[in-house]
Amino acid sequence: MAISSSFPFLPFCLLLWAFTVYANGCYTSIISFGDSLADTGNLKQLVAKSNGRPPHFMYPPYGETFFHNPTGRCSNGRLIIDFLAENLGMSLIPPYESVKSSMEVIEKGQGVNFAVAGATALDSAFHEAQGVYNAYTNASLNVQLGWFKRSLPAICGNPSDCKNWIKKSLILMGEIGGNDYNHPVIAGKSLEELKSYVPLELIELGAETLVVPGNLPIGCSAAYLTIYYGAQKDEYDNATGCLIKLNKFAECHNELLQTELNRIRELHPNVNVIYADYYNAAMQFFQSPEKYGFTNGALTACCGGGGPYNYNRSVACGYPLSTSCSQPETYANWDGLHLTEAAYQVIYKSLFQGTYTTPRFNSVCPTSMVQAKDASSSSVQSF
Ligand SMILES: *[C@@H]1O[C@H](CO)[C@@H](O)[C@H](O)[C@H]1NC(C)=O
Ligand SMILES: *[C@@H]1O[C@H](CO)[C@@H](O)[C@H](O)[C@H]1NC(C)=O
Ligand SMILES: *[C@@H]1O[C@H](CO)[C@@H](O)[C@H](O)[C@H]1NC(C)=O
């Protein structure tokens, strides 16, 4: 209760605090970092501001199923973060780029999304030194973290009030890293180390609950299946049709990541560091697509430029020569690189309502929230 009386947003924050404990259980807000798996509109805004050429996912049929227009999300509808926000009783998490001037987030109080499609975990300087230039964005994980830190005074005021806000937030750290694999060998270890360094910084700022996703089974992606089309028969997993070597690569990264997360847990036993097993959550529908309604299989893209997996790099979904399926809910793969809303929903449920996080998502609450709840409702009124 040591909130300075000079803090200008005090009455509002009190309201928020009381609201959360009763409506959402554990969290007042979601703070998200990542790439196209979580971008809800940042790259769209950034491109508009720079008068750049709009990427293919700014055109229909992106967004057709849920939003009925392209929002900047790389899917036909909602992403994992959208399902999460809905189910925690929040409105959809606004992209940083569309709230940063008005800081509408202060009124909404429900967090902010820094994820940018195309973003890498490692800085662009690192990739440029390897001769890899990112055509989409240089908003790496560190750049996103910088935006977050700089926006804190506007969002939550002084450091101690910010600490309180961050404490009660659910922090989604990705997925990020999928775009770093242009030079997989080089990116390998430094990538997973970075993915643990950023959580440590967030913990310094007060974070008590972090969800850190691992990689998806990239060997099941229509884009990679197309690039390696015609590989030896024994390079494919019989049960799924996915490329074994690439999936092993993703699994290996996930092992490294979990080792790093264990290190953080040892350093900060009071912080909930939740590993989100995207790989095995998605593997369910790659193994039994029909069971999830993916009657057109889990490998072929709904929207794309033709070819065995309906993926052609030069005819991306959204561009004139591409075609799109009429029933996206019968596909797991949306555009070759990204999944359909239906597939993201399966992953969402498996993670946040199921057993594919460690520890289970529903079994944890920020330490400070547990204490607040234990102290009974009278402490809310006396606040
Ligand atoms: C990223 O790109 C923007 C726009 O081109 C530029 O203003 C900014 O300085 C760059 N940031 C970094 C970290 O390279
Ligand atoms: C895949 O199927 C082939 C032929 O049906 C079989 O010879 C091979 O052992 C199988 N591989 C695996 C990993 O099950
Ligand atoms: C991709 O599309 C281009 C343009 O239509 C075409 O020339 C090319 O052959 C296609 N590539 C594949 C692998 O189908």
Side-chain angles (χ1 to χ4, degrees):
M1 339 261 146
I3 297 175
S4 143
S5 55
S6 63
F7 177 52
F9 301 120
L10 187 61
F12 173 70
C13 284
L14 282 183
L15 190 67
L16 234 193
W17 190 85
F19 173 77
T20 321
V21 171
Y22 298 111
N24 297 340
C26 287
Y27 311 102
T28 51
S29 58
I30 295 176
I31 301 166
S32 154
F33 304 91
D35 60 21
S36 56
L37 266 62
D39 186 353
T40 53
N42 281 313
L43 188 64
K44 182 180 173 166
Q45 302 281 335
L46 286 165
V47 169
K49 281 171 196 165
S50 68
N51 294 316
R53 179 181 181 225
H56 63 99
F57 54 85
M58 312 272 159
Y59 296 99
Y62 282 88
E64 66 173 3
T65 301
F66 186 79
F67 301 98
H68 309 299
N69 65 304
T71 59
R73 284 171 178 79
C74 291
S75 186
N76 58 315
R78 288 162 291 182
L79 310 178
I80 294 168
I81 184 177
D82 297 316
F83 288 114
L84 183 60
E86 276 181 3
N87 282 278
L88 291 179
M90 303 174 181
S91 45
L92 299 182
I93 308 306
Y96 170 67
E97 281 299 320
S98 56
V99 296
K100 75 173 175 188
S101 47
S102 65
M103 274 303 161
E104 177 195 351
V105 64
I106 293 173
E107 279 133 81
K108 289 203 166 149
Q110 292 187 334
V112 57
N113 184 0
F114 296 92
V116 180
T120 50
L122 297 163
D123 285 336
S124 54
F126 176 93
H127 288 288
E128 283 165 18
Q130 326 296 331
V132 178
Y133 294 86
N134 189 328
Y136 285 125
T137 181
N138 63 7
S140 64
L141 193 49
N142 266 322
V143 170
Q144 294 176 24
L145 187 67
W147 293 345
F148 174 61
K149 286 183 181 167
R150 281 198 296 281
S151 61
L152 283 177
I155 298 175
C156 48
N158 68 41
S160 107
D161 295 319
C162 284
K163 205 161 195 161
N164 265 328
W165 178 66
I166 296 168
K167 212 188 263 192
K168 292 174 268 174
S169 298
L170 177 62
I171 299 181
L172 300 182
M173 282 289 313
E175 202 280 328
I176 186 134
N179 294 318
D180 294 70
Y181 293 145
N182 300 314
H183 279 268
V185 180
I186 301 162
K189 190 143 194 290
S190 38
L191 185 58
E192 303 314 328
E193 278 170 1
L194 177 95
K195 280 160 85 173
S196 66
Y197 160 81
V198 173
L200 286 172
E201 282 219 21
L202 291 165
I203 291 168
E204 289 270 293
L205 293 168
E208 287 194 3
T209 313
L210 296 129
V211 175
V212 187
N215 290 318
L216 285 165
I218 55 174
C220 304
S221 134
Y224 281 109
L225 286 163
T226 302
I227 292 167
Y228 294 104
Y229 187 66
Q232 296 291 321
K233 220 175 162 199
D234 63 2
E235 295 191 47
Y236 294 92
D237 176 352
N238 282 355
T240 59
C242 303
L243 287 157
I244 295 169
K245 219 183 275 178
L246 285 172
N247 277 354
K248 287 250 182 297
F249 176 78
E251 283 185 280
C252 168
H253 268 272
N254 291 342
E255 293 289 320
L256 280 172
L257 176 61
Q258 289 178 84
T259 306
E260 294 294 328
L261 297 184
N262 278 334
R263 216 167 47 83
I264 302 176
R265 290 178 183 124
E266 273 167 31
L267 288 169
H268 299 280
N270 291 325
V271 174
N272 295 313
V273 178
I274 303 172
Y275 173 69
D277 189 356
Y278 277 33
Y279 184 98
N280 287 300
M283 220 27 153
Q284 298 175 104
F285 55 72
F286 288 116
Q287 274 158 355
S288 321
E290 301 266 339
K291 193 176 151 194
Y292 297 90
F294 301 133
T295 49
N296 281 296
L299 301 182
T300 302
C302 162
C303 179
Y309 298 96
N310 195 23
Y311 176 81
N312 182 332
R313 236 189 110 139
S314 42
V315 188
C317 174
Y319 282 152
L321 291 174
S322 71
T323 57
S324 189
C325 69
S326 58
Q327 291 181 295
E329 71 280 6
T330 61
Y331 289 76
N333 194 306
W334 166 244
D335 63 1
L337 285 160
H338 307 102
L339 302 177
T340 55
E341 175 181 273
Y344 283 136
Q345 186 166 29
V346 173
I347 298 177
Y348 161 76
K349 282 188 178 158
S350 304
L351 296 172
F352 294 98
Q353 298 175 351
T355 58
Y356 287 82
T357 64
T358 315
R360 297 251 180 109
F361 180 70
N362 284 330
S363 74
V364 298
C365 237
T367 322
S368 50
M369 297 302 280
V370 174
Q371 283 158 359
K373 279 183 158 179
D374 290 349
S376 91
S377 60
S378 66
S379 68
V380 175
Q381 281 141 18
S382 70
F383 223 90

